[in-house]
Amino acid sequence: MARLVIVSNRVADPRKPSAGGLAVALGDALKPRGGLWFGWSGHIAEPGQADQLHVQQAGPVTLATVDLTQDDHDGYYLGYSNGVLWPVFHYRLDLADLDAGYVGSYRRVNQLFARQLQTLLRPDDIIWVHDYHLIPLALELRALGCAQRIGFFLHIPMPPPLLLAAIPQAEWLVRCLCAYHLVGFQSQADLLHFGRYIVAEVGAQPLGGQRWRAFGRRVEAGCFPIGIDVDEFAGLTHAPEACEMYERMRHTYAGHRILLGVERLDYSKGLPQRVKAFAKLLRNHPEHIGSTTLIQIASPSREALGSYTDLRQQLESLTGALNGDYGELDWVPVRYMHRNVARRRLPGLYRLARVALVTPLRDGMNLVAKEFIAAQDPADPGVLVLSRFAGAAEQLKEALLVNPYDTDGTSETMQQALQMPLHERQRRHQLLLEHIRAHDVHWWRRTYLDALMATQEDDRALAPSPKG
Ligand code: GDG
């Protein structure tokens, strides 16, 4: 049986408890037949040591990593991946550093990855590349003569053609995507944007279904919404750490109703808009004053980038003002925490919340929405308020969907969620739980890999042609 090779920016040891749900799921994909997981080590190389490959065995899984020089890390990771691709793919042209010249580092790191990975590959390996940091990897591997079947999955949104076109290297990026056998997206909207771009902007020839001929090669795309490991997460909910968290917080917030937000502190997640909507809720429905609290966990993320420090200041100023305006000596409206909460404790918080606020301005999928559903007590479940701009909104129709830019609408939906009768909460939760169970992370992985294996071989290689 062919060996599976997973490539992602970061590599996690799937045996470690700190590994997140996705790391565990990818690790699980590798375990049955043994496999290789390749990526950046997370370390900056000592001068002259950047090309070293670190290989270790984690059970049946081989973990192979490389270090990056400070310059390459800054240009590839902070600069191009998170200063250009992340903002544009989340529709934020205003935050993109389009002319800073980071593309050279981005390409160099992808070439380094290709060279190092090639030394470990077998002819019949199946390679699965993850996310926006590594879009050019297949093209670079092909340039080295690798003919293996290679698939790509984009975890973040695919922007509409005219937004993507604002990136000076847009055509090169799409050419890179066309070097994969299969390009996977989170939602139908993303898939549609990709199809429109390659037909309208690069003249791809439609071959029927989600197949095209572009740049002299056949490319196939599909929609594969990522899920969570529902059973694992439900299990965590009953583990001692989560139970202890739940009991402690239940005691602390006795008699209060909790609205909860949990995410990385990222401008795509709509945090300032959420705080403004909560302020409107307190203004328009003063019965909540003294009895309803918003707990907002905003875990630190990409703090070396100015757009993230600006967001932090904006959020802290809004939170401070709201607490000043509405707080009482014995009640603080917003409990804001700019720290990470241990993964094993999170389900206790989810279970405590009457309402989860998952209101990103744009999000590829959003796993917090699914974790919240999995952690609920079916007899007394909380309500999910979900942005229509999260990929998850295509699937989770029984959530209360909101437009997070509409502060009044979002605050009224918070009110509806807080007042929802038990039978309606139960009905919605049951349908949501059935959906995330039927489309869990194992389903996602199987469906994607089956589709990758079913793609037709293409005999025409692509010449690499970097532009930019
Ligand atoms: C990208 C895409 C897509 C959050 N705070 C803490 C914490 N988390 C965990 C959550 C969840 C994960 O991080 C966040 O996943 P999301 O899906 O919500 O968002 P991104 O990080 O932006 O992920 C996204 C995803 O990739 C997968 O394809 O859904 O659209 O943007 O698991 O629980 N975990 C811990 N402490 C925290 O404070 N331990």
Side-chain angles (χ1 to χ4, degrees):
M1 196 193 286
R3 181 178 69 156
L4 180 62
V5 175
I6 286 181
V7 191
S8 55
N9 176 56
R10 291 298 300 274
V11 171
D13 186 334
R15 299 165 307 178
K16 293 202 173 149
S18 58
L22 181 59
V24 172
L26 293 178
D28 282 353
L30 294 164
K31 276 183 212 157
R33 44 190 178 180
L36 172 66
W37 194 347
F38 180 93
W40 175 39
S41 62
H43 299 301
I44 299 299
E46 298 296 326
Q49 310 267 301
D51 273 4
Q52 278 183 18
L53 186 62
H54 311 283
V55 181
Q56 57 165 312
Q57 206 57 36
V61 182
T62 306
L63 305 176
T65 57
V66 285
D67 303 340
L68 294 179
T69 64
Q70 188 69 55
D71 275 1
D72 276 347
H73 168 264
D74 293 353
Y76 148 82
Y77 180 75
L78 292 176
Y80 202 74
S81 299
N82 289 313
V84 176
L85 298 180
W86 178 274
V88 175
F89 281 45
H90 287 89
Y91 300 24
R92 293 298 301 268
L93 286 184
D94 57 317
L95 297 178
D97 207 353
L98 291 172
D99 54 5
Y102 297 127
V103 71
S105 303
Y106 181 69
R107 179 154 189 238
R108 194 160 52 246
V109 170
N110 273 273
Q111 285 171 333
L112 167 72
F113 275 27
R115 276 199 312 277
Q116 297 285 25
L117 177 59
Q118 188 204 17
T119 65
L120 303 169
L121 290 180
R122 301 173 189 160
D124 63 343
D125 280 342
I126 304 292
I127 305 170
W128 191 9
V129 179
H130 288 263
D131 231 356
Y132 58 105
H133 317 83
L134 300 173
I135 291 171
L137 193 69
L139 198 59
E140 299 298 351
L141 284 167
R142 304 263 180 248
L144 298 173
C146 298
Q148 286 86 347
R149 199 175 282 262
I150 315 180
F152 179 80
F153 186 79
L154 185 69
H155 289 258
I156 65 175
M158 184 72 187
L162 289 182
L163 272 180
L164 182 64
I167 301 179
Q169 302 82 25
E171 189 179 322
W172 172 65
L173 290 167
V174 171
R175 184 185 177 87
C176 288
L177 285 174
C178 291
Y180 290 94
H181 284 78
L182 177 66
V183 183
F185 296 102
Q186 298 272 28
S187 69
Q188 291 293 343
D190 298 327
L191 178 58
L192 198 71
H193 292 158
F194 176 72
R196 281 199 191 139
Y197 189 98
I198 61 170
V199 171
E201 301 282 327
V202 303
Q205 177 198 352
L207 298 177
Q210 305 302 334
R211 297 181 193 85
W212 300 267
R213 178 158 289 278
F215 302 106
R217 192 185 163 86
R218 166 199 282 267
V219 62
E220 194 167 326
C223 171
F224 306 91
I226 194 168
I228 62 164
D229 187 332
V230 177
D231 292 331
E232 183 238 16
F233 209 83
L236 281 183
T237 306
H238 300 289
E241 291 93 330
C243 292
E244 192 265 333
M245 176 67 133
Y246 175 75
E247 287 304 332
R248 189 154 59 86
M249 300 297 277
R250 202 162 63 108
H251 180 71
T252 305
Y253 291 100
H256 286 237
R257 280 181 302 182
I258 302 297
L259 299 155
L260 176 69
V262 175
E263 46 260 300
R264 289 180 304 99
L265 182 51
D266 192 289
Y267 50 79
S268 64
K269 303 292 184 183
L271 295 173
Q273 290 79 358
R274 186 181 304 164
V275 172
K276 286 180 193 164
F278 182 58
K280 278 251 163 83
L281 177 80
L282 297 179
R283 184 178 329 143
N284 294 340
H285 301 281
E287 69 271 20
H288 295 299
I289 292 177
S291 65
T292 301
T293 299
L294 168 61
I295 297 181
Q296 179 61 59
I297 312 292
S299 57
S301 184
R302 304 173 195 164
E303 294 186 306
L305 290 171
S307 46
Y308 286 76
T309 43
D310 291 350
L311 171 70
R312 181 176 175 187
Q313 278 173 9
Q314 186 194 3
L315 182 63
E316 291 179 357
S317 143
L318 278 169
T319 305
L322 193 153
N323 283 343
D325 287 345
Y326 290 95
E328 295 177 358
L329 290 175
D330 58 355
W331 172 69
V332 179
V334 185
R335 288 279 180 182
Y336 156 77
M337 204 176 107
H338 182 238
R339 280 198 306 282
N340 205 48
V341 172
R343 178 171 160 76
R344 297 182 69 82
R345 300 172 74 82
L346 267 183
L349 263 186
Y350 288 143
R351 205 167 182 129
L352 178 84
R354 169 57 69 89
V355 178
L357 299 174
V358 180
T359 54
L361 305 179
R362 201 75 194 91
D363 214 331
M365 176 53 58
N366 196 294
L367 297 182
V368 169
K370 297 184 175 182
E371 292 169 358
F372 175 76
I373 296 165
Q376 295 309 298
D377 173 2
D380 186 18
V383 180
L384 176 61
V385 173
L386 178 63
S387 164
R388 55 171 298 188
F389 305 126
E394 278 190 7
Q395 299 182 289
L396 305 180
K397 301 288 187 205
E398 291 76 22
L400 296 182
L401 295 187
V402 293
N403 167 6
Y405 294 96
D406 173 6
T407 317
D408 286 324
T410 304
S411 73
E412 284 311 306
T413 306
M414 289 178 182
Q415 172 72 353
Q416 184 191 347
L418 286 164
Q419 293 190 317
M420 190 179 284
L422 178 63
H423 65 88
E424 189 178 350
R425 284 191 276 131
Q426 288 172 332
R427 181 186 64 81
R428 287 177 184 263
H429 175 257
Q430 190 193 338
L431 293 169
L432 290 168
L433 187 61
E434 280 167 14
H435 186 93
I436 62 166
R437 237 181 230 298
H439 300 88
D440 70 357
V441 74
H442 307 294
W443 169 87
W444 168 74
R445 192 180 68 210
R446 269 195 319 272
T447 316
Y448 181 89
L449 288 174
D450 287 351
L452 177 59
M453 293 309 291
T455 54
Q456 287 179 21
E457 269 307 330
D458 195 304
D459 46 21
R460 296 176 62 180
L462 266 180
S465 141
K467 201 179 134 194

